[in-house]
Amino acid sequence: MPRLPSHLRRHAYSIDPLLPLLLRSCRTLPSAINELRWLREHLLSSFPQSHAAQRLLRDRLHKLCLERSRGRPLQYILGDQPFGELLILCRKGVLIPRSAYPSPLPSINRAYTNILSVPARPETETWVTHLTTHVLQNTYINSQRAKDEPLRILDLCTGTGCISLLLYSLLHSQYPFLQILGVDISPTAIRLAQRNLTHNISNKLLPVSASTQIQFLQGDIFAEERAWQKSPYDIVVSNPPYVSPAGYNHTTTRSVRNYEPKLALVPNMEHDSDVVVGDAFYPHIVSLAEQMNASMIAVEVGDTEQARRIARMIGKRQLWRKLNVWGDGILDDGNSRMEAHHSGILPFTAHGTGEGRAVAAWQ
């Protein structure tokens, strides 16, 4: 990582002596200023307004800035991350959700988007939100709703549970019999996902009905016996590990490598050695969706190149009638097209701008 220019460090210090510490991780002055504001807001919420308390606040703020300068993710320091209208608890050992806006505080989540740096990682919140519009327009799914039958969603590699919770938040008013199951191999992730469910209900960000309509279960999607697979599902979603070992070593930040679980980022190639290293989970996830006769599937990907590979893989299976790649900006201009391709028998169309972020298919 290149050294920061000395004039930038001096300018940061002239604004606030703590900013040079944050620059080590933030790398840009606007981001460092925002993070200092968020850290200060975080502490002010728990400190009384007295002179002695203010001195203690400054000492504590300095310690938090030191932690951040060593690469500890801001979400782990603050404890949570906005995701849609929800607040997702974040803990070491579980992948941090990537929201459409990287602000860690809901009260300022939209206020400073003009100076925020867009995260390099895919914006999970964006494609999940876009998926719900397709769910609401799906003829088969809505015919099931007309019969008062439950809409069942399976979320594989659920992590914090953010996708399951956001889907419920966006769909439950239209699908009163909605049932969502989140599965992850990590017991740490499942405990945190359950905490996030309880946390959002207690903060009235989700209705009480979510406690019985959302479940989280520890499980290995590659295991031969999967009790959860015995139930049918209408939609399968997943944000699986998709980073190659080389990509993990060369493109991820120090913060990600030191604090976020490699298990959630890099596929275990013991499962399948016949595909590109970062793509190992996708054929199996698609196969599971087909076995459960799911009518829709949506999976997150790392970039356009990977999106094309996954779209081609799905298109050659001949069981899906429609195939899309969703890119950056899909919510701002859902009709914009990057380009159209043909993958075997089934053509796929890419919408949005910039990098591919998710691949979706319909039966």
mmCIF file of all heavy atoms in Angstrom, residues 48-77:
data_model
loop_
_atom_site.group_PDB
_atom_site.id
_atom_site.type_symbol
_atom_site.label_atom_id
_atom_site.label_comp_id
_atom_site.label_asym_id
_atom_site.label_seq_id
_atom_site.Cartn_x
_atom_site.Cartn_y
_atom_site.Cartn_z
ATOM 1 N N PRO A 48 -22.353 11.287 29.537
ATOM 2 C CA PRO A 48 -23.061 12.457 30.077
ATOM 3 C C PRO A 48 -22.347 13.748 29.690
ATOM 4 O O PRO A 48 -21.162 13.742 29.360
ATOM 5 C CB PRO A 48 -23.004 12.227 31.594
ATOM 6 C CG PRO A 48 -21.794 11.375 31.803
ATOM 7 C CD PRO A 48 -21.695 10.501 30.583
ATOM 8 N N GLN A 49 -23.099 14.854 29.734
ATOM 9 C CA GLN A 49 -22.545 16.143 29.333
ATOM 10 C C GLN A 49 -21.898 16.838 30.541
ATOM 11 O O GLN A 49 -22.392 17.824 31.070
ATOM 12 C CB GLN A 49 -23.658 17.025 28.751
ATOM 13 C CG GLN A 49 -24.275 16.477 27.488
ATOM 14 C CD GLN A 49 -23.250 16.344 26.367
ATOM 15 O OE1 GLN A 49 -22.487 17.262 26.091
ATOM 16 N NE2 GLN A 49 -23.255 15.191 25.719
ATOM 17 N N SER A 50 -20.766 16.330 30.983
ATOM 18 C CA SER A 50 -20.003 16.957 32.068
ATOM 19 C C SER A 50 -18.561 17.138 31.617
ATOM 20 O O SER A 50 -18.099 16.489 30.681
ATOM 21 C CB SER A 50 -20.037 16.092 33.329
ATOM 22 O OG SER A 50 -19.340 14.877 33.118
ATOM 23 N N HIS A 51 -17.830 18.047 32.286
ATOM 24 C CA HIS A 51 -16.457 18.325 31.896
ATOM 25 C C HIS A 51 -15.586 17.071 32.025
ATOM 26 O O HIS A 51 -14.791 16.752 31.126
ATOM 27 C CB HIS A 51 -15.879 19.445 32.762
ATOM 28 C CG HIS A 51 -14.469 19.811 32.396
ATOM 29 N ND1 HIS A 51 -14.159 20.491 31.242
ATOM 30 C CD2 HIS A 51 -13.280 19.552 33.037
ATOM 31 C CE1 HIS A 51 -12.850 20.666 31.174
ATOM 32 N NE2 HIS A 51 -12.292 20.116 32.254
ATOM 33 N N ALA A 52 -15.754 16.345 33.150
ATOM 34 C CA ALA A 52 -14.963 15.131 33.362
ATOM 35 C C ALA A 52 -15.296 14.077 32.307
ATOM 36 O O ALA A 52 -14.417 13.386 31.790
ATOM 37 C CB ALA A 52 -15.223 14.575 34.763
ATOM 38 N N ALA A 53 -16.583 13.978 31.966
ATOM 39 C CA ALA A 53 -16.991 12.999 30.970
ATOM 40 C C ALA A 53 -16.426 13.352 29.598
ATOM 41 O O ALA A 53 -16.050 12.469 28.825
ATOM 42 C CB ALA A 53 -18.510 12.922 30.911
ATOM 43 N N GLN A 54 -16.349 14.638 29.297
ATOM 44 C CA GLN A 54 -15.809 15.057 28.008
ATOM 45 C C GLN A 54 -14.329 14.693 27.877
ATOM 46 O O GLN A 54 -13.867 14.318 26.810
ATOM 47 C CB GLN A 54 -16.004 16.558 27.825
ATOM 48 C CG GLN A 54 -17.465 16.978 27.657
ATOM 49 C CD GLN A 54 -18.138 16.235 26.518
ATOM 50 O OE1 GLN A 54 -17.672 16.266 25.384
ATOM 51 N NE2 GLN A 54 -19.235 15.549 26.821
ATOM 52 N N ARG A 55 -13.603 14.812 28.986
ATOM 53 C CA ARG A 55 -12.196 14.407 28.946
ATOM 54 C C ARG A 55 -12.084 12.909 28.722
ATOM 55 O O ARG A 55 -11.243 12.449 27.947
ATOM 56 C CB ARG A 55 -11.516 14.802 30.258
ATOM 57 C CG ARG A 55 -10.027 14.448 30.298
ATOM 58 C CD ARG A 55 -9.401 14.892 31.604
ATOM 59 N NE ARG A 55 -9.529 16.338 31.779
ATOM 60 C CZ ARG A 55 -9.178 16.972 32.903
ATOM 61 N NH1 ARG A 55 -8.697 16.288 33.933
ATOM 62 N NH2 ARG A 55 -9.316 18.280 32.978
ATOM 63 N N LEU A 56 -12.932 12.138 29.392
ATOM 64 C CA LEU A 56 -12.937 10.687 29.203
ATOM 65 C C LEU A 56 -13.342 10.334 27.770
ATOM 66 O O LEU A 56 -12.800 9.404 27.173
ATOM 67 C CB LEU A 56 -13.904 10.046 30.207
ATOM 68 C CG LEU A 56 -13.993 8.520 30.200
ATOM 69 C CD1 LEU A 56 -12.640 7.899 30.519
ATOM 70 C CD2 LEU A 56 -15.052 8.051 31.205
ATOM 71 N N LEU A 57 -14.282 11.114 27.215
ATOM 72 C CA LEU A 57 -14.722 10.875 25.837
ATOM 73 C C LEU A 57 -13.556 11.051 24.867
ATOM 74 O O LEU A 57 -13.377 10.252 23.958
ATOM 75 C CB LEU A 57 -15.870 11.815 25.494
ATOM 76 C CG LEU A 57 -16.508 11.654 24.106
ATOM 77 C CD1 LEU A 57 -17.994 11.974 24.168
ATOM 78 C CD2 LEU A 57 -15.837 12.559 23.073
ATOM 79 N N ARG A 58 -12.759 12.110 25.062
ATOM 80 C CA ARG A 58 -11.630 12.340 24.161
ATOM 81 C C ARG A 58 -10.621 11.207 24.243
ATOM 82 O O ARG A 58 -10.064 10.769 23.240
ATOM 83 C CB ARG A 58 -10.959 13.675 24.497
ATOM 84 C CG ARG A 58 -11.761 14.891 24.045
ATOM 85 C CD ARG A 58 -10.910 16.149 24.086
ATOM 86 N NE ARG A 58 -10.481 16.476 25.439
ATOM 87 C CZ ARG A 58 -11.168 17.226 26.288
ATOM 88 N NH1 ARG A 58 -12.348 17.727 25.923
ATOM 89 N NH2 ARG A 58 -10.706 17.491 27.486
ATOM 90 N N ASP A 59 -10.381 10.710 25.470
ATOM 91 C CA ASP A 59 -9.456 9.580 25.638
ATOM 92 C C ASP A 59 -9.993 8.333 24.939
ATOM 93 O O ASP A 59 -9.244 7.613 24.263
ATOM 94 C CB ASP A 59 -9.234 9.289 27.124
ATOM 95 C CG ASP A 59 -8.455 10.386 27.825
ATOM 96 O OD1 ASP A 59 -7.806 11.184 27.127
ATOM 97 O OD2 ASP A 59 -8.516 10.455 29.060
ATOM 98 N N ARG A 60 -11.284 8.092 25.108
ATOM 99 C CA ARG A 60 -11.886 6.911 24.490
ATOM 100 C C ARG A 60 -11.901 7.043 22.970
ATOM 101 O O ARG A 60 -11.667 6.072 22.240
ATOM 102 C CB ARG A 60 -13.314 6.742 25.032
ATOM 103 C CG ARG A 60 -14.065 5.562 24.443
ATOM 104 C CD ARG A 60 -13.389 4.254 24.731
ATOM 105 N NE ARG A 60 -14.123 3.139 24.164
ATOM 106 C CZ ARG A 60 -13.581 2.010 23.751
ATOM 107 N NH1 ARG A 60 -12.277 1.845 23.827
ATOM 108 N NH2 ARG A 60 -14.331 1.046 23.277
ATOM 109 N N LEU A 61 -12.166 8.253 22.487
ATOM 110 C CA LEU A 61 -12.174 8.488 21.046
ATOM 111 C C LEU A 61 -10.794 8.234 20.448
ATOM 112 O O LEU A 61 -10.673 7.646 19.370
ATOM 113 C CB LEU A 61 -12.629 9.916 20.748
ATOM 114 C CG LEU A 61 -12.774 10.307 19.273
ATOM 115 C CD1 LEU A 61 -13.795 9.408 18.568
ATOM 116 C CD2 LEU A 61 -13.185 11.771 19.147
ATOM 117 N N HIS A 62 -9.753 8.638 21.157
ATOM 118 C CA HIS A 62 -8.386 8.395 20.695
ATOM 119 C C HIS A 62 -8.106 6.900 20.600
ATOM 120 O O HIS A 62 -7.492 6.424 19.632
ATOM 121 C CB HIS A 62 -7.388 9.073 21.637
ATOM 122 C CG HIS A 62 -5.966 8.905 21.208
ATOM 123 N ND1 HIS A 62 -5.131 7.961 21.780
ATOM 124 C CD2 HIS A 62 -5.234 9.528 20.249
ATOM 125 C CE1 HIS A 62 -3.943 8.037 21.208
ATOM 126 N NE2 HIS A 62 -3.978 8.970 20.285
ATOM 127 N N LYS A 63 -8.583 6.132 21.574
ATOM 128 C CA LYS A 63 -8.372 4.683 21.561
ATOM 129 C C LYS A 63 -9.101 4.031 20.384
ATOM 130 O O LYS A 63 -8.572 3.117 19.734
ATOM 131 C CB LYS A 63 -8.842 4.067 22.880
ATOM 132 C CG LYS A 63 -7.966 4.432 24.076
ATOM 133 C CD LYS A 63 -8.503 3.798 25.353
ATOM 134 C CE LYS A 63 -7.637 4.189 26.547
ATOM 135 N NZ LYS A 63 -8.180 3.625 27.813
ATOM 136 N N LEU A 64 -10.327 4.500 20.104
ATOM 137 C CA LEU A 64 -11.072 3.945 18.969
ATOM 138 C C LEU A 64 -10.389 4.273 17.650
ATOM 139 O O LEU A 64 -10.348 3.442 16.740
ATOM 140 C CB LEU A 64 -12.507 4.470 18.969
ATOM 141 C CG LEU A 64 -13.409 4.028 20.121
ATOM 142 C CD1 LEU A 64 -14.825 4.553 19.910
ATOM 143 C CD2 LEU A 64 -13.431 2.512 20.261
ATOM 144 N N CYS A 65 -9.847 5.478 17.543
ATOM 145 C CA CYS A 65 -9.128 5.848 16.326
ATOM 146 C C CYS A 65 -7.865 5.011 16.154
ATOM 147 O O CYS A 65 -7.494 4.653 15.028
ATOM 148 C CB CYS A 65 -8.774 7.338 16.356
ATOM 149 S SG CYS A 65 -10.205 8.428 16.152
ATOM 150 N N LEU A 66 -7.215 4.679 17.255
ATOM 151 C CA LEU A 66 -6.045 3.803 17.187
ATOM 152 C C LEU A 66 -6.448 2.413 16.685
ATOM 153 O O LEU A 66 -5.754 1.815 15.863
ATOM 154 C CB LEU A 66 -5.373 3.693 18.551
ATOM 155 C CG LEU A 66 -4.437 4.835 18.963
ATOM 156 C CD1 LEU A 66 -3.980 4.650 20.404
ATOM 157 C CD2 LEU A 66 -3.221 4.874 18.037
ATOM 158 N N GLU A 67 -7.569 1.888 17.213
ATOM 159 C CA GLU A 67 -8.058 0.585 16.751
ATOM 160 C C GLU A 67 -8.324 0.618 15.249
ATOM 161 O O GLU A 67 -7.955 -0.299 14.506
ATOM 162 C CB GLU A 67 -9.351 0.223 17.480
ATOM 163 C CG GLU A 67 -9.181 -0.174 18.925
ATOM 164 C CD GLU A 67 -10.510 -0.605 19.525
ATOM 165 O OE1 GLU A 67 -11.247 -1.363 18.854
ATOM 166 O OE2 GLU A 67 -10.817 -0.171 20.649
ATOM 167 N N ARG A 68 -8.972 1.687 14.803
ATOM 168 C CA ARG A 68 -9.287 1.801 13.380
ATOM 169 C C ARG A 68 -8.024 1.925 12.545
ATOM 170 O O ARG A 68 -7.932 1.364 11.433
ATOM 171 C CB ARG A 68 -10.191 3.022 13.178
ATOM 172 C CG ARG A 68 -10.661 3.182 11.734
ATOM 173 C CD ARG A 68 -11.660 2.128 11.359
ATOM 174 N NE ARG A 68 -12.065 2.315 9.951
ATOM 175 C CZ ARG A 68 -11.808 1.455 8.982
ATOM 176 N NH1 ARG A 68 -11.134 0.341 9.219
ATOM 177 N NH2 ARG A 68 -12.219 1.691 7.751
ATOM 178 N N SER A 69 -7.010 2.635 13.061
ATOM 179 C CA SER A 69 -5.758 2.810 12.307
ATOM 180 C C SER A 69 -5.035 1.490 12.112
ATOM 181 O O SER A 69 -4.251 1.342 11.175
ATOM 182 C CB SER A 69 -4.846 3.805 13.035
ATOM 183 O OG SER A 69 -4.269 3.241 14.199
ATOM 184 N N ARG A 70 -5.295 0.519 12.986
ATOM 185 C CA ARG A 70 -4.676 -0.805 12.873
ATOM 186 C C ARG A 70 -5.473 -1.732 11.974
ATOM 187 O O ARG A 70 -5.142 -2.907 11.841
ATOM 188 C CB ARG A 70 -4.512 -1.407 14.259
ATOM 189 C CG ARG A 70 -3.574 -0.596 15.166
ATOM 190 C CD ARG A 70 -3.482 -1.195 16.555
ATOM 191 N NE ARG A 70 -2.659 -0.380 17.426
ATOM 192 C CZ ARG A 70 -3.050 0.113 18.607
ATOM 193 N NH1 ARG A 70 -4.276 -0.170 19.058
ATOM 194 N NH2 ARG A 70 -2.252 0.866 19.330
ATOM 195 N N GLY A 71 -6.551 -1.221 11.370
ATOM 196 C CA GLY A 71 -7.295 -2.000 10.393
ATOM 197 C C GLY A 71 -8.570 -2.626 10.886
ATOM 198 O O GLY A 71 -9.268 -3.289 10.110
ATOM 199 N N ARG A 72 -8.928 -2.446 12.150
ATOM 200 C CA ARG A 72 -10.173 -3.041 12.637
ATOM 201 C C ARG A 72 -11.348 -2.394 11.920
ATOM 202 O O ARG A 72 -11.439 -1.163 11.855
ATOM 203 C CB ARG A 72 -10.321 -2.843 14.140
ATOM 204 C CG ARG A 72 -11.517 -3.601 14.716
ATOM 205 C CD ARG A 72 -11.654 -3.400 16.206
ATOM 206 N NE ARG A 72 -12.793 -4.130 16.720
ATOM 207 C CZ ARG A 72 -13.372 -3.908 17.892
ATOM 208 N NH1 ARG A 72 -12.875 -2.968 18.690
ATOM 209 N NH2 ARG A 72 -14.407 -4.603 18.283
ATOM 210 N N PRO A 73 -12.255 -3.177 11.341
ATOM 211 C CA PRO A 73 -13.378 -2.596 10.595
ATOM 212 C C PRO A 73 -14.217 -1.673 11.468
ATOM 213 O O PRO A 73 -14.473 -1.948 12.640
ATOM 214 C CB PRO A 73 -14.185 -3.827 10.164
ATOM 215 C CG PRO A 73 -13.189 -4.944 10.128
ATOM 216 C CD PRO A 73 -12.247 -4.654 11.273
ATOM 217 N N LEU A 74 -14.656 -0.586 10.874
ATOM 218 C CA LEU A 74 -15.476 0.387 11.595
ATOM 219 C C LEU A 74 -16.748 -0.264 12.131
ATOM 220 O O LEU A 74 -17.201 0.047 13.241
ATOM 221 C CB LEU A 74 -15.825 1.552 10.661
ATOM 222 C CG LEU A 74 -16.608 2.702 11.280
ATOM 223 C CD1 LEU A 74 -15.755 3.426 12.309
ATOM 224 C CD2 LEU A 74 -17.087 3.665 10.205
ATOM 225 N N GLN A 75 -17.335 -1.189 11.356
ATOM 226 C CA GLN A 75 -18.574 -1.834 11.796
ATOM 227 C C GLN A 75 -18.355 -2.668 13.046
ATOM 228 O O GLN A 75 -19.268 -2.817 13.862
ATOM 229 C CB GLN A 75 -19.145 -2.700 10.668
ATOM 230 C CG GLN A 75 -19.630 -1.919 9.460
ATOM 231 C CD GLN A 75 -18.532 -1.672 8.444
ATOM 232 O OE1 GLN A 75 -17.341 -1.781 8.761
ATOM 233 N NE2 GLN A 75 -18.914 -1.372 7.221
ATOM 234 N N TYR A 76 -17.176 -3.251 13.217
ATOM 235 C CA TYR A 76 -16.894 -4.006 14.433
ATOM 236 C C TYR A 76 -16.712 -3.065 15.622
ATOM 237 O O TYR A 76 -17.057 -3.414 16.757
ATOM 238 C CB TYR A 76 -15.626 -4.849 14.252
ATOM 239 C CG TYR A 76 -15.774 -6.034 13.331
ATOM 240 C CD1 TYR A 76 -14.649 -6.692 12.831
ATOM 241 C CD2 TYR A 76 -17.028 -6.511 12.950
ATOM 242 C CE1 TYR A 76 -14.766 -7.790 11.985
ATOM 243 C CE2 TYR A 76 -17.151 -7.606 12.101
ATOM 244 C CZ TYR A 76 -16.022 -8.233 11.622
ATOM 245 O OH TYR A 76 -16.146 -9.317 10.789
ATOM 246 N N ILE A 77 -16.164 -1.894 15.374
ATOM 247 C CA ILE A 77 -15.982 -0.924 16.457
ATOM 248 C C ILE A 77 -17.334 -0.380 16.913
ATOM 249 O O ILE A 77 -17.620 -0.300 18.110
ATOM 250 C CB ILE A 77 -15.069 0.226 16.001
ATOM 251 C CG1 ILE A 77 -13.654 -0.296 15.711
ATOM 252 C CG2 ILE A 77 -15.012 1.325 17.066
ATOM 253 C CD1 ILE A 77 -12.719 0.735 15.122
#
